[in-house]
Amino acid sequence: MDALMAALVACFACQLSDRLGWAASAQAVASGRPVAALLGVALALAVANALAGAGAALIAPLLTPNARALFLALALGSAALGGVTAPKPPAPQARLGAFAASLAAGLALGLGDRSQFLAMAFGVRSSPVFAAIGATLGGTVGCAVVILGGPNVAARLRSRAVRLPIAGVLLIAGIAAALSAFRLV
């Protein structure tokens, strides 16, 4: 259950300023269908995080407890570094509807992104199923804030004033996990 909450909070924070919410928000504005865009994002996140959970279930038995903690530290540090730089604008998908465009963007941007890496790391450390569910819920709620908030909210959430504190908290959590992995705390 701790993996669910940790993944939910970390992925919520990451998705607030990631490209996925930005792309879906643009589709929602262009089509006038924010609910369809949100459903496309939710499905894409569910697929990506299910794959992360499956990967976590496969590799977790092969890792020692210290290696699991170090894997989590690496994921948190990577997510922090990903939050330092401003995201590039996503390519528009004019020919697709809001649902299909958001689903396509979610699959393209969501596979291998920092939220999926975090879901896998929390799944390796604890329950892969709960980590995948938490990452999906957190990512979906984070994207919902961006989509339903509109372009002005999306622009504010991509600002340095939001990205850098989130990156700082993720970095501190990553350092704590690394120290725990090396049995220094």
Side-chain angles (χ1 to χ4, degrees):
M1 191 60 96
D2 60 336
L4 185 135
M5 286 308 296
L8 188 144
V9 171
C11 292
F12 170 77
C14 287
Q15 287 299 335
L16 284 176
S17 61
D18 266 353
R19 292 174 59 191
L20 178 55
W22 189 5
S25 177
Q27 290 301 324
V29 168
S31 68
R33 300 182 62 206
V35 174
L38 183 57
L39 290 175
V41 165
L43 181 59
L45 287 171
V47 169
N49 291 321
L51 290 172
L58 287 174
I59 68 167
L62 305 174
L63 299 175
T64 65
N66 289 1
R68 291 176 188 179
L70 197 55
F71 190 78
L72 178 61
L74 179 64
L76 288 165
S78 174
L81 288 177
V84 171
T85 60
K88 293 183 263 180
Q93 301 289 330
R95 288 182 270 164
L96 299 174
F99 176 80
S102 296
L103 177 62
L107 292 174
L109 298 172
L111 294 176
D113 80 335
R114 58 189 181 152
S115 293
Q116 189 182 29
F117 192 17
L118 286 170
M120 187 170 184
F122 286 118
V124 163
R125 188 85 192 262
S126 187
S127 166
V129 172
F130 284 138
I133 291 169
T136 301
L137 290 174
T140 301
V141 172
C143 286
V145 169
V146 177
I147 292 168
L148 300 176
N152 291 335
V153 170
R156 286 189 189 123
L157 290 173
R158 288 188 314 273
S159 71
R160 291 174 62 142
V162 174
R163 286 184 295 108
L164 294 182
I166 291 171
V169 170
L170 290 170
L171 183 61
I172 290 168
I175 290 170
L179 292 173
S180 172
F182 294 121
R183 302 283 183 203
L184 297 174
V185 290

